Amino acid sequence: MEYGLLIMGAPYSSAAPHSALRFASAVLSKGHRIAGIFFYQDGVHNASSLMTPPQDELNMREAWIELHQQHNVALDVCIAAALRRGLMSELEAKRHGLVNFNIEAPFELTGLGQLLELQQRCDRFMTFA
Amino acid sequence: MEYGLLIMGAPYSSAAPHSALRFASAVLSKGHRIAGIFFYQDGVHNASSLMTPPQDELNMREAWIELHQQHNVALDVCIAAALRRGLMSELEAKRHGLVNFNIEAPFELTGLGQLLELQQRCDRFMTFA
Amino acid sequence: MTRENERLVVIRHAPYSSNQLREGLDVALVTAAFGGSVSLLFLGQGVLALLKEQTVGAPGQKATLPTIDMLEMYDIENLLVPAETLQAFNITSDQLVEGVTVIPTSELPSLFQRYASVLNF
Amino acid sequence: MTRENERLVVIRHAPYSSNQLREGLDVALVTAAFGGSVSLLFLGQGVLALLKEQTVGAPGQKATLPTIDMLEMYDIENLLVPAETLQAFNITSDQLVEGVTVIPTSELPSLFQRYASVLNF
Amino acid sequence: MLHILNKPPHSDAAKQLLLALSADDTVLLIEDAVQAVLYPDWQGWTVSSAAVFLLAEDAVSRGVYSLANVKGLPLVEMDGFVELTEQNERIISWY
Amino acid sequence: MLHILNKPPHSDAAKQLLLALSADDTVLLIEDAVQAVLYPDWQGWTVSSAAVFLLAEDAVSRGVYSLANVKGLPLVEMDGFVELTEQNERIISWY
């Protein structure tokens, strides 16, 4: 089956990303596919390339990237929720006259339409918040 | 009197920064001083120089900087809470082999000792979370 | 009990205290903008978004009420509140904005069964 | 009712579900590391940090119990829980880690009056 | 002592505040705590002789200001908030 | 329909879930919701004929696993969580 996930909690502040990651691994190892993960609300912080947890804690961003690399899972980040919270790609940074940025591929900034499309396309759609 | 504030909520996700900012303005206009503001837990997001809210919403980081410039309020950010959540200064970025950064002066990364010191030094110490 | 080809967006958080309410409403607005049909259900703290006496918040705080007023322009006319929520908050329906439908609490289970897509905010 | 030159750190959030508990304990540990005297009060959800059967969480999730065990090394020996919290959670004191003092709920107001510095997490 | 509550009147935070309250303490309700206006029988209005105030601008933004006025509940402006902190050496936030 | 609850059993989210529950729905308790093990009289255990499961690894990390076992409550591993989502076309999270 095709799964889609909506994640709305930030790493280190919410258990939602941890639960979602564990669930995603279990889904994939049962032979299902994950079409995409959409990061919304405080979930956009999962994409921060400046996230630097202590050595004995999981780097959540790296875990998502591994999921993308091994299973081709799309990692979409809501652009409006991201900009407000201080997360932007190089392109958006330029557009706003900023030098620094903290969203990089495979994370993609996108609109809410992508979330609706993901929900419609998947056999199963789940929220972790 | 000398006030110290502890802020533990993120802008746009919590009302705490708004309440703290309004309170700070009122305190200052009554002739008191604010010795320092300490940003901890999700409050560290207040310092993000990449924060880009829509035009009709307050840019909370700029509001804190204005407070600093006009009233010499120290803006301290807990370094451990910040790094974990993807907030770092140029110095910390270099230390971690990263190019980008999103904490700049007048915000300063510092340790929890600074929080304890602030609480002891002030006549009034308040938490907004 | 047919599954309507409609989205149900559930609003469960209060205005101002977080962005959850606003970003939930945004999903409803985008659904409508893409031509989809959407109903809004207000549960618990979410009902506070419907109090008609709300005004703009403190300086720099964006109010919720203008977004609620905007729903009609997007043809989102199905604003539902269960009677239980009003009772729990001691709110009467005349304290709410125009166009809210109070539904019997006992209809909530069938309401959730009826929609193909439900998003809880 | 003297105001002890001590800090009271109040832990009110559950382990794992947020970082609030961990970052609250960090403040207690740093207070002690700087030579200050600190007491910990566990209220509501915070009491769950004291359940002795807690183990490490899912892969990558850091457990809270090792930090609780560390408190003693920092000479933080005053771990307080009001009886009301235990009752509310149906928890008995033998389910908790060693060294917790159960205090009568009626003593909470005077406890808060006693400390010069209180930090609520 | 001044207690500041910013969560709804039936939240865990509110219950904990009520357990910690001394008779001569003061309580200020801000943000979501102004919902207490909707509950005439909220324990905080009666549990002790503590004075309970509401932050006016939060009552306004959340649509309960006129109800608070009708009920004669004590509202303070932001200046009054500052005065409460001047009068109380120690301030505890419940969130 | 599968309902996933991750907040404590007396939270607003839990109350809302119980109002929305149909008799043949399934409930999975994860994260903070595993605290329901501590409350034998929680409404969720009795309110309908809905099946209620606990996520084992969250019960373990939060120290209520052995109690859940003693009480004979239905625990599922992460594989079982996936199976519940296979069996239910629609999944609603309460948080």
Side-chain angles (χ1 to χ4, degrees):
Chain A
M1 276 193 281
E2 196 99 342
Y3 280 73
L5 307 184
L6 168 61
I7 298 182
M8 300 199 284
Y12 319 113
S13 297
S14 156
H18 274 100
S19 293
L21 181 65
R22 287 178 282 149
F23 180 81
S25 305
V27 157
L28 291 167
S29 64
K30 286 198 82 179
H32 298 296
R33 289 177 307 280
I34 298 180
I37 302 182
F38 193 89
F39 297 93
Y40 193 39
Q41 299 206 345
D42 286 352
V44 299
H45 290 297
N46 281 278
S48 171
S49 54
L50 296 178
M51 180 192 298
T52 314
Q55 303 250 323
D56 60 346
E57 288 179 48
L58 183 69
N59 184 314
M60 193 57 70
R61 174 175 164 271
E62 288 173 4
W64 295 124
I65 291 176
E66 200 181 310
L67 212 64
H68 167 83
Q69 287 171 340
Q70 296 185 351
H71 302 278
N72 203 27
V73 176
L75 303 174
D76 287 328
V77 180
C78 174
I79 185 165
L83 290 178
R84 184 180 269 137
R85 290 172 177 82
L87 288 141
M88 59 173 67
S89 61
E90 187 166 16
L91 186 70
E92 284 302 317
K94 276 190 185 141
R95 197 171 286 166
H96 288 91
L98 296 164
V99 175
N100 292 285
F101 57 92
N102 53 2
I103 299 248
E104 294 170 68
F107 290 94
E108 298 278 354
L109 288 176
T110 180
L112 279 177
Q114 196 71 19
L115 165 65
L116 306 181
E117 197 265 328
L118 180 66
Q119 190 182 28
Q120 257 146 18
R121 182 159 47 101
C122 289
D123 304 303
R124 296 292 183 272
F125 187 80
M126 297 170 64
T127 298
F128 290 89
Chain B
M1 276 192 281
E2 195 98 342
Y3 281 74
L5 307 184
L6 168 62
I7 298 183
M8 300 200 282
Y12 319 112
S13 297
S14 156
H18 275 100
S19 294
L21 181 66
R22 287 179 281 149
F23 179 82
S25 305
V27 157
L28 292 166
S29 64
K30 286 200 82 178
H32 299 296
R33 288 178 308 283
I34 299 181
I37 302 183
F38 192 90
F39 297 93
Y40 192 38
Q41 299 206 345
D42 286 352
V44 299
H45 290 298
N46 282 277
S48 171
S49 54
L50 296 178
M51 181 192 298
T52 315
Q55 302 250 326
D56 60 347
E57 288 179 48
L58 183 70
N59 185 314
M60 192 58 69
R61 172 174 165 273
E62 288 172 3
W64 295 125
I65 291 176
E66 202 181 310
L67 212 65
H68 167 84
Q69 287 170 343
Q70 296 185 354
H71 302 278
N72 203 26
V73 176
L75 303 174
D76 287 327
V77 180
C78 173
I79 186 166
L83 289 179
R84 183 180 270 141
R85 288 170 177 84
L87 289 141
M88 58 173 68
S89 62
E90 188 167 14
L91 187 69
E92 284 301 318
K94 277 190 184 139
R95 197 170 288 168
H96 288 89
L98 295 164
V99 175
N100 291 284
F101 56 92
N102 52 3
I103 299 248
E104 294 169 70
F107 290 94
E108 298 276 355
L109 288 178
T110 178
L112 279 176
Q114 195 72 19
L115 166 66
L116 306 181
E117 197 266 328
L118 180 66
Q119 189 182 26
Q120 257 147 20
R121 180 157 51 99
C122 289
D123 303 305
R124 297 291 183 271
F125 186 81
M126 297 170 63
T127 298
F128 289 89
Chain C
M1 210 184 317
T2 60
R3 291 189 185 172
E4 297 172 14
N5 191 16
E6 253 193 42
R7 174 169 279 115
L8 179 68
V9 172
V10 188
I11 301 291
R12 303 180 301 123
H13 292 90
Y16 299 109
S17 61
S18 76
N19 231 26
Q20 291 182 292
L21 185 142
R22 181 96 52 81
E23 293 182 325
L25 292 177
D26 281 350
V27 169
L29 293 172
V30 170
T31 301
F34 276 70
S37 173
V38 57
S39 296
L40 278 168
L41 172 66
F42 295 81
L43 286 182
Q45 293 274 319
V47 74
L48 300 169
L50 299 173
L51 285 176
K52 68 180 172 196
E53 283 196 10
Q54 284 172 85
T55 62
V56 64
Q61 252 189 339
K62 201 173 165 184
T64 304
L65 205 55
T67 311
I68 296 288
D69 290 339
M70 218 157 69
L71 295 173
E72 208 188 337
M73 293 195 311
Y74 280 78
D75 293 327
I76 301 174
E77 285 165 351
N78 216 4
L79 308 186
L80 310 172
V81 180
E84 190 274 346
T85 292
L86 291 183
Q87 282 157 25
F89 283 81
N90 292 317
I91 291 173
T92 55
S93 52
D94 61 323
Q95 291 172 273
L96 303 182
V97 296
E98 300 268 307
V100 175
T101 305
V102 180
I103 60 169
T105 310
S106 59
E107 283 185 14
L108 278 178
S110 60
L111 184 77
F112 275 87
Q113 300 290 341
R114 203 182 306 143
Y115 289 85
S117 299
V118 178
L119 276 178
N120 246 356
F121 286 104
Chain D
M1 211 186 314
T2 59
R3 290 189 187 175
E4 298 172 15
N5 191 16
E6 254 192 43
R7 175 169 277 116
L8 178 67
V9 172
V10 188
I11 301 291
R12 304 180 301 121
H13 291 90
Y16 300 109
S17 61
S18 75
N19 231 28
Q20 292 182 292
L21 185 142
R22 180 97 51 83
E23 292 181 327
L25 292 178
D26 282 350
V27 169
L29 292 173
V30 170
T31 301
F34 277 69
S37 174
V38 58
S39 296
L40 278 168
L41 172 66
F42 295 82
L43 286 183
Q45 294 275 319
V47 73
L48 300 170
L50 300 173
L51 284 177
K52 68 179 170 195
E53 283 196 10
Q54 283 172 87
T55 62
V56 64
Q61 252 190 338
K62 201 172 164 184
T64 304
L65 204 55
T67 311
I68 296 288
D69 291 339
M70 218 157 71
L71 296 172
E72 208 188 336
M73 293 194 313
Y74 281 77
D75 292 326
I76 302 174
E77 285 166 351
N78 217 4
L79 309 185
L80 311 172
V81 179
E84 190 273 347
T85 292
L86 291 183
Q87 280 157 24
F89 283 81
N90 291 317
I91 290 173
T92 55
S93 53
D94 62 325
Q95 291 173 272
L96 304 181
V97 296
E98 299 269 305
V100 175
T101 305
V102 180
I103 60 169
T105 310
S106 59
E107 284 185 13
L108 278 178
S110 60
L111 185 78
F112 274 86
Q113 301 290 341
R114 204 181 304 145
Y115 290 84
S117 300
V118 178
L119 276 178
N120 246 353
F121 286 102
Chain E
M1 191 179 303
L2 173 64
H3 299 265
I4 302 172
L5 176 68
N6 73 348
K7 284 286 179 297
H10 299 103
S11 60
D12 285 359
K15 287 175 198 160
Q16 291 158 9
L17 150 60
L18 294 177
L19 291 178
L21 200 60
S22 289
D24 54 352
D25 286 350
T26 302
V27 177
L28 177 64
L29 308 177
I30 70 170
E31 300 171 14
D32 285 350
V34 300
Q35 294 173 29
V37 171
L38 300 169
Y39 302 97
D41 53 353
W42 178 53
Q43 218 194 335
W45 299 123
T46 54
V47 73
S48 84
S49 55
V52 180
F53 296 92
L54 294 153
L55 187 60
E57 61 186 64
D58 286 343
V60 167
S61 66
R62 283 156 181 85
V64 298
Y65 180 79
S66 65
L67 190 60
N69 250 335
V70 167
K71 294 189 176 181
L73 298 173
L75 292 148
V76 295
E77 303 292 334
M78 201 43 99
D79 270 7
F81 185 175
V82 176
E83 277 160 30
L84 290 176
T85 67
E86 290 166 352
Q87 291 155 15
N88 289 278
E89 203 185 320
R90 281 168 318 139
I91 302 152
I92 300 181
S93 295
W94 301 88
Y95 60 90
Chain F
M1 193 179 300
L2 173 65
H3 299 266
I4 302 173
L5 176 68
N6 73 347
K7 285 284 180 297
H10 299 104
S11 61
D12 284 359
K15 286 174 196 158
Q16 291 159 9
L17 151 61
L18 293 177
L19 291 178
L21 199 60
S22 289
D24 54 353
D25 286 351
T26 302
V27 177
L28 176 65
L29 308 176
I30 70 170
E31 299 170 15
D32 284 350
V34 300
Q35 293 172 29
V37 171
L38 300 169
Y39 302 97
D41 53 352
W42 178 53
Q43 219 193 336
W45 299 122
T46 54
V47 72
S48 85
S49 54
V52 180
F53 296 92
L54 294 153
L55 187 60
E57 62 185 65
D58 287 342
V60 167
S61 65
R62 284 155 180 86
V64 297
Y65 181 80
S66 65
L67 190 59
N69 250 336
V70 165
K71 294 187 176 182
L73 298 172
L75 292 147
V76 294
E77 303 293 333
M78 201 42 98
D79 270 8
F81 185 175
V82 176
E83 276 160 30
L84 290 175
T85 66
E86 289 166 352
Q87 290 155 15
N88 289 277
E89 204 184 320
R90 282 172 313 142
I91 302 153
I92 300 180
S93 294
W94 301 87
Y95 59 90

